[in-house]
Structures are given as C-alpha cells and as structure tokens.
C-alpha cells in the first residue's frame, strides 16, 4: 500500500516542525512547507529524505501555493491530511497599522485558504481528506494589541466551520487547533509564560487528537479555562487604562 502523505505548512520551526516529526514517527510521508530552505533541508536530513519532502513556498503568495500544489499533483503526491499551521503575529500599539493587518491576514488567513482553494477540487474526486487549521485561543477574546492577529484567526475559525458543514457529506473535514501559549520563536518573550507548553508536547497532543478525528483541539488546559472565563467578562475589563 502507498504510504499516506500529509502536508505541513510552517514546518521549519515551532509547532509545525514538531508536527512533521510526529507524523513521520507515525509512518506518514510529510511534505514540509516554509520559506526557509536551510531549516527544511536540515529537517529532511534528520528525519530521512525518503520520509520528508521539503518544499520552499511562501503560503501568503497564491501563485507559489498553486505552483507547489501543481508540482505535487504532477508527481502523483496527493496528501489526505493538511496541517495549515504557518502563521505570524506582531504586537500592535495605538497607531493603527493597516499594512500589518494585511500582512497578518495574507499569512494567517489566506496562507491557509490558498491551499483549500487548490486541494478541495482534488479531494472531491478522491475519497476525501482533512484540513487542520491552526487558530488560537486568542480568537475567542478580543485582547488589546491583538486586533490583526486575533481577527485573522477568528476569520479562519468561521471559514473552517462553514466549510466543514458544507463538505461533511463529501468526507472532507475542517478541524481547528486552538493553542494557548507554546514556547516557540513566535512568543518573542524572554520571560517564561506560566503554563506554556513546549512545542514537542503541543505537537504530540495535536497529532494524537487529529488522528482520532477530533475537530476542535484546545490547550494548555489552564489557558483554556482562563480564556473561557475571559470570554464571559464585560468589555470594560479589557480596556487599557
Ligand atoms: N506559539 C504560540 O504561543 C501560539 C499560540 C497560538 C497559536 N499559534 C499558532 O501556531 C502556528 C505556529 O506558530 P509557532 O508558534 O510554531 O511559531 P514559529 O515557530 O514562529 O513558526 C511559524 C512557522 O510559520 C512559517 N511561516 C510564517 N510565515 C510564512 C509564510 N508566509 N509562508 C510560509 N511559511 C511561513 C515559518 O517558516 P518560515 O519563516 O521558514 O517561512 C515557521 O515555520 C501559527 O499559526 C501561530 O499563529 C502559536
């Protein structure tokens, strides 16, 4: 039997890199996507070049996603699982930054949707497949300094849930991961964040849940609880004094 293929975006670092390692460990062949070729090649050497295919692609650039997808199809590599994990997030201040909003949406929202555009028609002709979007617990509560990041993730939530309802009958699933703090370069902090998970732990948890068919995956538990409480608080609680 052919080995199963999965595609992981943002595989050069953090959560995505460890998802790639976990999936190889589980016997899958991984197509690893990111912009940094050196990091992807290092990972391929580590895990085995027959097990991980590095492909350089800027997910925010539709033409690059199209070219990469076409190359895979021409090589008869059809993933049945897509971890659409690439993302970025910059802290915002009082000066509204339209460019930052656009850049954040290009990566976090369109960087996932571009793949869906390319692969849903392919999966409709096959026996289906699963897209796993990496959202954030932050998408539940509008925090100051997170207007671009939080809204890009909230948009992803809506699109994935809507597409899931549409394509359930076609055996195409759209699952969502909602991480709280995970100790990766994205956190950009020198101080340890309490109860943050290591990316290895996050990836193990994600892969276990995804392979069991879970559709909403939230962690770490303490932050799920905290953000759950935050969601019920009045808007005035979050106002910057
Ligand atoms: N860490 C957290 O606390 C946390 C919490 C909630 C949600 N998340 C989400 O988890 C996901 C993974 O983040 P992380 O924490 O693992 O951060 P990370 O270590 O900084 O990894 C981000 C990954 O995304 C890739 N990437 C960024 N822009 C890209 C682009 N335009 N095209 C292709 N790849 C791109 C980066 O690769 P290249 O630079 O090589 O392209 C890198 O591999 C993100 O969606 C993030 O929003 C993280």
């Amino acid at each position: 039997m052919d080995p199963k293929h999965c595609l992981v975006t943002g595989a050069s670092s953090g959560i995505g890199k460890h998802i790639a390692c976990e999936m190889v460990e589980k016997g899958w062949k991984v197509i690893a996507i990111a912009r940094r070729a050196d990091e992807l090649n290092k990972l391929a050497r580590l895990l085995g070049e027959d097990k991980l295919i590095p492909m350089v692609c800027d997910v925010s650039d539709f033409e690059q996603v199209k070219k990469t997808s076409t190359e895979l199809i021409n090589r008869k590599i059809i993933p049945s699982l897509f971890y659409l994990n690439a993302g970025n997030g910059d802290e915002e201040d009082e000066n509204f930054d339209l460019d930052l909003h656009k850049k954040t949406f290009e990566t976090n929202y369109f960087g996932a949707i571009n793949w869906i555009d390319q692969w849903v028609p392919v999966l409709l002709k096959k026996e289906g497949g699963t897209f796993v979007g990496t959202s954030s617990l932050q998408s539940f509560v509008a925090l100051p300094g997170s207007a671009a990041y939080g809204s890009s993730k909230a948009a992803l939530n809506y699109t994935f849930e809507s597409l899931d309802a549409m394509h359930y009958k076609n055996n195409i699933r759209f699952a969502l991961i909602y991480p709280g703090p995970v100790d990766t370069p994205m956190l950009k902090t020198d101080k340890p964040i309490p109860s943050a998970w290591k990316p290895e732990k996050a990836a193990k948890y994600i892969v276990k849940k995804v392979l069991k068919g879970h559709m909403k995956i939230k962690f770490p538990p303490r932050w799920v609880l905290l953000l759950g409480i935050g969601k019920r608080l009045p808007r005035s609680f979050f106002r910057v004094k």
Side-chain angles (χ1 to χ4, degrees), residues 27-141:
W28 288 61
K29 280 203 173 194
V30 172
I31 299 117
I33 305 283
R35 292 165 301 181
R36 282 172 293 167
D38 50 341
E39 292 299 327
L40 293 179
N41 291 334
K42 228 191 282 174
L43 194 60
R45 284 196 295 275
L46 180 77
L47 298 176
E49 283 163 14
D50 54 330
K51 295 180 183 140
L52 184 133
I53 306 165
M55 294 182 87
V56 172
C57 172
D58 182 337
V59 300
S60 67
D61 180 340
F62 175 72
E63 290 306 323
Q64 289 192 35
V65 172
K66 191 174 170 184
K67 187 166 166 263
T68 306
S69 301
T70 305
E71 188 183 329
L72 286 170
I73 292 165
N74 289 343
R75 288 166 68 180
K76 303 210 176 343
I77 298 173
I78 310 294
S80 54
L81 178 54
F82 297 76
Y83 288 96
L84 303 177
N85 159 83
N88 62 33
D90 290 314
E91 188 72 13
E92 296 160 55
D93 59 25
E94 289 175 11
N95 301 307
F96 188 81
D97 186 341
L98 183 60
D99 286 339
L100 175 69
H101 274 251
K102 287 182 179 168
K103 189 183 118 196
T104 308
F105 266 76
E106 289 296 348
T107 304
N108 295 358
Y109 183 74
F110 289 102
I113 300 310
N114 288 339
W115 296 97
I116 292 172
D117 173 83
Q118 289 298 297
W119 288 94
V120 162
V122 179
L123 297 183
L124 280 173
K125 291 189 203 136
K126 302 271 166 193
E127 63 268 26
T130 302
F131 296 94
V132 182
T134 304
S135 178
S136 167
L137 285 180
Q138 269 193 52
S139 63
F140 295 148
V141 185

